[in-house]
Amino acid sequence: MFKPLISALAQFTAATAGRNMTKAAYVAVTVGVLSMVLLTDNRARGARGWVDSLLWTCLAYFVFEWLVRLRHMRQQGRLSLYVSSSAGIVDAIGALAVPAALLLGVDPRTAWLLGVLWVLKVIPGIPGLRQLRRVLVLESGPLVSVLVIFLTVVFLASVAEYFLERDVQPQTFGSVPAALWWAVVTLTTTGYGDAVPVTPLGRMVAAAVMISGLGVFGLWTGILATGFAAETRRDNFLKTWESVSKVPFFAALGPAAIADVTHMLRTMELPARTMIIRKGAQGDCMYFIAAGEVEVELPGKKVQLGEGAFFGEMALLGNNKRGANVSTTKVSRLLVLDLVDFRVLMARHPDLAETIDAEARRRALENK
Amino acid sequence: MFKPLISALAQFTAATAGRNMTKAAYVAVTVGVLSMVLLTDNRARGARGWVDSLLWTCLAYFVFEWLVRLRHMRQQGRLSLYVSSSAGIVDAIGALAVPAALLLGVDPRTAWLLGVLWVLKVIPGIPGLRQLRRVLVLESGPLVSVLVIFLTVVFLASVAEYFLERDVQPQTFGSVPAALWWAVVTLTTTGYGDAVPVTPLGRMVAAAVMISGLGVFGLWTGILATGFAAETRRDNFLKTWESVSKVPFFAALGPAAIADVTHMLRTMELPARTMIIRKGAQGDCMYFIAAGEVEVELPGKKVQLGEGAFFGEMALLGNNKRGANVSTTKVSRLLVLDLVDFRVLMARHPDLAETIDAEARRRALENK
Amino acid sequence: MFKPLISALAQFTAATAGRNMTKAAYVAVTVGVLSMVLLTDNRARGARGWVDSLLWTCLAYFVFEWLVRLRHMRQQGRLSLYVSSSAGIVDAIGALAVPAALLLGVDPRTAWLLGVLWVLKVIPGIPGLRQLRRVLVLESGPLVSVLVIFLTVVFLASVAEYFLERDVQPQTFGSVPAALWWAVVTLTTTGYGDAVPVTPLGRMVAAAVMISGLGVFGLWTGILATGFAAETRRDNFLKTWESVSKVPFFAALGPAAIADVTHMLRTMELPARTMIIRKGAQGDCMYFIAAGEVEVELPGKKVQLGEGAFFGEMALLGNNKRGANVSTTKVSRLLVLDLVDFRVLMARHPDLAETIDAEARRRALENK
Amino acid sequence: MFKPLISALAQFTAATAGRNMTKAAYVAVTVGVLSMVLLTDNRARGARGWVDSLLWTCLAYFVFEWLVRLRHMRQQGRLSLYVSSSAGIVDAIGALAVPAALLLGVDPRTAWLLGVLWVLKVIPGIPGLRQLRRVLVLESGPLVSVLVIFLTVVFLASVAEYFLERDVQPQTFGSVPAALWWAVVTLTTTGYGDAVPVTPLGRMVAAAVMISGLGVFGLWTGILATGFAAETRRDNFLKTWESVSKVPFFAALGPAAIADVTHMLRTMELPARTMIIRKGAQGDCMYFIAAGEVEVELPGKKVQLGEGAFFGEMALLGNNKRGANVSTTKVSRLLVLDLVDFRVLMARHPDLAETIDAEARRRALENK
């Protein structure tokens, strides 16, 4: 009964062995983790058989996917690279953790808990992850400083509270580890309320710890916000640079001006048949086509614009409303020029302004 | 008895059918939601009759408003646009949700709860909403990354806690869903205290989750702060650009200088008869009139200044105190030039400085 | 017995009637509020007599201060301005609230609680308050938007929870007001734990509310951080501008360059006899004297430097260590030029670099 | 038995008496504090003997280290400087606090708690601490303002809650100090839940306090984020400036251009034998050698590059993949030029672009 399913999986997986995550894998992770969660819930005991078979199916899929990838990588001579990469390790864990636990005689209900590790497969597919990691790496110095300060405050506060509260509440503050628990819960402003100082001095120390908690929050956020702002600028510049130099419209500019223009543009990747501009909507940006093709729905005819063309400038020059629907016909990469930057650019480069003006006039004439 | 009320409403609503929210609608939303709240409170049982009639009045108002708008839009040929717009959907929900529930036989006390959806009518009227939405859209990539990281931590932590605490606290950690609840409450640093790990290992995992909570906060805030800073600059530039090019004072400047000036100005919309400058107050900015008119109360006479004029420059040039009261006579749009930017502008454009100086001297002479 | 005290107070207050807060007022506020706190604590019942007399003394001081100020303002013809100013209102409340309550027959223990309003007297003296207020005013648009979003989420969530939990927990979720309390406690991530949803659906709604709480935090902080960054730059520029144009060293620069230099400098106000530079310390900035005088302790002699002079440049040019102790002799205002900006400034203005170099050489020779 | 250990310690400590923290000191702090924690835990009672001897060993180490340092500093004539420095005070406390407590007859279990002060020895070693301290000092004005606002809200709210709740909950809101505890716990959004208002008015006040808590968070973070961003830029500029002017490649640039370039570079300190570039990886930056030496693993031979050389430019110019492994041979200081800034730099300084292009062509030829 599983044979046709497996053969279909094999084809599908083989076709996408090089990619990080297929749609099938997303489905398998979702189904697998949900089944694992249901397995622990007594209310779902009736459906135990279904849940079990779902789990085994997911596991089979992950083992299968892993084997296909191993084979694919060996054929390409990148086996050792794959095995030692983080994706390879996550794939191996996803395929082997549960079976290994079952073979070692762990109780099945506990062994299947390892299925939660399947969620790790999702992480490499997160779009902004590289950006976040770069921020954390570049700002690791100050972040570690804040962490050390955090831990120092936790240690000093917990010893102080242990000293002040141990006689009054031997249950909750009877040892420094117990007081450490209180300190972490308090300094992160979580505040469960399972351990609360009651002596006046203990409460004063606690108040100081809570206010320090705000400070730790603030420093932490400040560091990350600073790093993130720098990283966003960098990321956008990199994505846009390549495309800009390929648009003939900008080719006349010198390299310094291109760097300048790049800072103003934003790259947008669009699938085929996506509406970009809706007739009658407010217009606040214009577009350059770096790759792909768009179709403008003029009254009575449709006009195609290819790589290097621009559109959407008329709403910026004259009336604010968009004059026609525009949508992509292929997968396209567009460069977006915001209204603000449009004006600054036109002011700095009068020759570009003239080119756009001339084209807009030509189009306006044609449309009449 | 309701007839004159309804007729007045009809006139009022018809007059403002094009606007998003009339003052009457704000009143109706406030009264309606408060009545709905009171309906659920046993202490207000005595006033049940009053509350009921208030609710019915509000509902009638919303149905009426919706019908007026539908008619108005059909007359303008924008019916389908309105019906599919978010405002149209909110209006339809406000008018139909409660009656539909009552017709379907839902208990009235429950049906009226749907009146809470009336608060949605307020949202399109929020001034900074477009700005906030743009930030969320532009930064959606990194925000989703942080959310995925958040959910991954929640999943891993809850399975770990379930494993570590299930034998000690079967009530609160008896299934992964229960542990998931704990994880969300902890990672958001809410910390109700209804589920608290008690084993040493469980507490270590929990401490790690709480510290990750700070990190999630920090990343989230950093992303939003970055996006917001960029959006604020853009928004202000757009609002100011149009006005600047219409002020004759700046007309002599080239387009590059106008873009430069626009970055320094801030737009301010004022109703008629508003005091702008109070005599004797500290002066830290000057004003250009983009639209409308202001009146300067000089000793013994009142002087009107119209579009294109400027005022408030004397406190920036000489003594810091304002020399006269100034207030608007009509709805006016002013461009505000801060003291800091005034100095930078004067330094960069000596010709503007001269114009302002000459005018200030002329006025000082006149006042003596 | 109080007579000499009152007469001393009268002299002191009269001398400083124009200032916002005297040191005596700070003492009175601290003593008064602490006494008020003690009055409510049963452990301090023994000292009741002392506490009462302290409270009456403080009240007498505030009444006295208020009367002195009223007289002073009337003499200066600014009585109506003072009475309607926030400082005047706070002074009036501080002087009249408690006596009025006592006269109206309120129980003394309750009446004295109004003494907490004395802390309002401290607020106008906070140094950065004007800056904070400007940020809140300028960013009020987006802040109000976030607040409206916050309240909308609170309303929708509380009605949902009331609907989902009212049958299971009639005590805590028995009415919408009760559910509103839960929603505010949750959305601010306070999480007391006195009201906690227990149904699966209720918990899902609650999890969504908590995650929204993070978003509200993030938006709020992002807005404030953006506004604050702009305000800090502005504030520093304003404080520094006046001083820069008075330092002869910068007089040779054109106005554009002065605006440029102003952005690099930071103003520092110092009392007399304050150590500015300690011999042997790391040097990372140089100083210009905008007002006042400093004394350099050279080996064997002391040299005075007056307005317009600069010092501390030698550690930036050659070795990093400070060569001598420097301290103020009078109240002084210094302009601080950071090492980073020193280098940028020297690079952009070679003539300034030469002047500083020549002076540094002359001093180095002299010291040998 | 301890003799050889002590003698080894003596040698080690003597060798590093000038440095802040030796590795041995880190070990001693970790062991000492963990032992102190264990001492308070009843579960570890069996190992009491071991724990005691570990504590005495650590204490002996700290006393020993302190004496060695005192002797070292006296020899260098910096004894008084050291004793009054923060490091000297921390060392003295670490060596003397526990013995002093024991001599004063304090119970040993309590006396050893003072061992927690040993963690203070770690603080001066934190890398980013100076940066954090500068931010706190420079922004102290607004931070203090926010703190005063925080305390004002705490005072007003606690008196209001005391008034509203004292009759209903005399246990938790029976005095203003008790209400103050509630206010701090609430305003920091900790929310233990040990004191919760129950009256409707009390809850309204509490809701206002919680929302103010968000505001305090936001202001605090905004201030710190602003300060941190400025400080990061400054810190990086200072670290990089020295190195840039020593790289011959940049020597041809004028001082203004060097200041410009310095803003683009980032300094990186690397130990010997560290891999910098891995063949086949994505290349997004190039490197200049400010000090030290690197080794490039070309096919069949290894090439050394010394001070002033650059590498990694080929991945930026042509294909994106790194062409060879590169690692350090000595402790090296590299200047990193990011891809973004590389392009901006090449655009602004065409002569630099030519030099790099020529070198890249020469190398490409050589490699073929």
Side-chain angles (χ1 to χ4, degrees), chain D residues 20-31:
Chain D
N20 260 332
M21 277 287 280
T22 60
K23 271 180 198 170
Y26 276 113
V27 172
V29 166
T30 312
V31 171

Side-chain angles (χ1 to χ4, degrees), chain A residues 35-53:
Chain A
S35 308
M36 183 275 293
V37 167
L38 279 178
L39 196 69
T40 67
D41 200 331
N42 285 327
R43 285 167 297 186
R45 198 174 285 174
R48 192 68 196 272
W50 279 100
V51 169
D52 266 357
S53 57

Side-chain angles (χ1 to χ4, degrees), chain D residues 20-74:
Chain D
N20 260 332
M21 277 287 280
T22 60
K23 271 180 198 170
Y26 276 113
V27 172
V29 166
T30 312
V31 171
V33 171
L34 285 181
S35 308
M36 184 275 294
V37 168
L38 279 178
L39 196 69
T40 67
D41 199 332
N42 286 327
R43 285 166 297 187
R45 197 175 286 176
R48 189 71 195 271
W50 280 100
V51 168
D52 266 357
S53 57
L54 277 175
L55 279 170
W56 280 106
T57 312
C58 289
L59 180 59
Y61 176 81
F62 291 127
V63 172
F64 185 79
E65 188 197 53
W66 183 53
L67 294 175
V68 170
R69 279 199 185 156
L70 282 179
R71 185 160 152 266
H72 176 83
M73 292 298 173
R74 208 188 47 206

Side-chain angles (χ1 to χ4, degrees), chain A residues 138 142 145 148 155 162-163 166 175-176 182 186 189-193 196 203 214 217 221 234 237-238 241-242 255, chain D residues 33 40 109-110 116 126 128 150 181 189-192 194 217 220-221 224-225 228-229 266 284 338-340 343 347:
Chain A
L138 286 179
S145 304
V148 172
F155 257 101
Y162 165 70
F163 176 69
R166 63 181 167 181
S175 69
V176 171
W182 165 84
T186 300
T189 76
T190 308
Y192 283 132
V196 177
R203 289 187 161 185
L214 296 193
F217 254 133
T221 306
R234 177 182 182 275
F237 190 95
L238 284 185
W241 177 274
E242 291 298 328
Chain D
V33 171
T40 67
R109 281 192 59 168
T110 302
V116 78
I126 305 174
F150 177 91
W181 168 245
T189 77
T190 307
Y192 284 133
D194 57 337
F217 253 133
W220 205 282
T221 306
L224 289 172
F228 203 83
R266 197 159 39 84
D284 60 359
D338 197 273
L339 179 48
V340 172
R343 281 169 177 165

Side-chain angles (χ1 to χ4, degrees), chain D residues 183-302:
Chain D
V184 170
V185 169
T186 300
L187 194 57
T188 57
T189 77
T190 307
Y192 284 133
D194 57 337
V196 178
V198 295
T199 62
L201 269 176
R203 288 187 164 187
M204 277 180 204
V205 170
V209 169
M210 284 170 215
I211 295 173
S212 312
L214 296 194
V216 169
F217 253 133
L219 280 173
W220 205 282
T221 306
I223 295 167
L224 289 172
T226 304
F228 203 83
E231 196 53 33
T232 300
R233 273 196 302 279
R234 177 182 183 274
D235 209 59
N236 184 54
F237 190 94
L238 284 185
K239 269 200 280 182
T240 307
W241 176 274
E242 291 298 328
S243 311
V244 169
S245 40
K246 285 181 198 145
V247 173
F249 182 75
F250 297 116
L253 297 170
I258 287 189
D260 193 40
V261 167
T262 303
H263 277 297
M264 294 181 178
L265 293 165
R266 197 159 39 84
T267 303
M268 202 163 76
E269 311 274 348
L270 289 174
R273 261 175 301 276
T274 312
M275 177 77 84
I276 308 166
I277 290 180
R278 194 180 296 273
K279 192 177 172 175
Q282 199 77 9
D284 60 359
C285 54
M286 70 172 289
Y287 302 85
F288 297 88
I289 306 173
E293 196 192 55
V294 306
E295 194 173 71
V296 187
E297 287 180 46
L298 294 174
K301 60 176 173 175
K302 292 189 173 186

Side-chain angles (χ1 to χ4, degrees), chain D residues 83-101:
Chain D
V83 169
S84 64
S85 74
S86 58
I89 293 167
V90 166
D91 284 350
I93 289 172
L96 301 179
V98 177

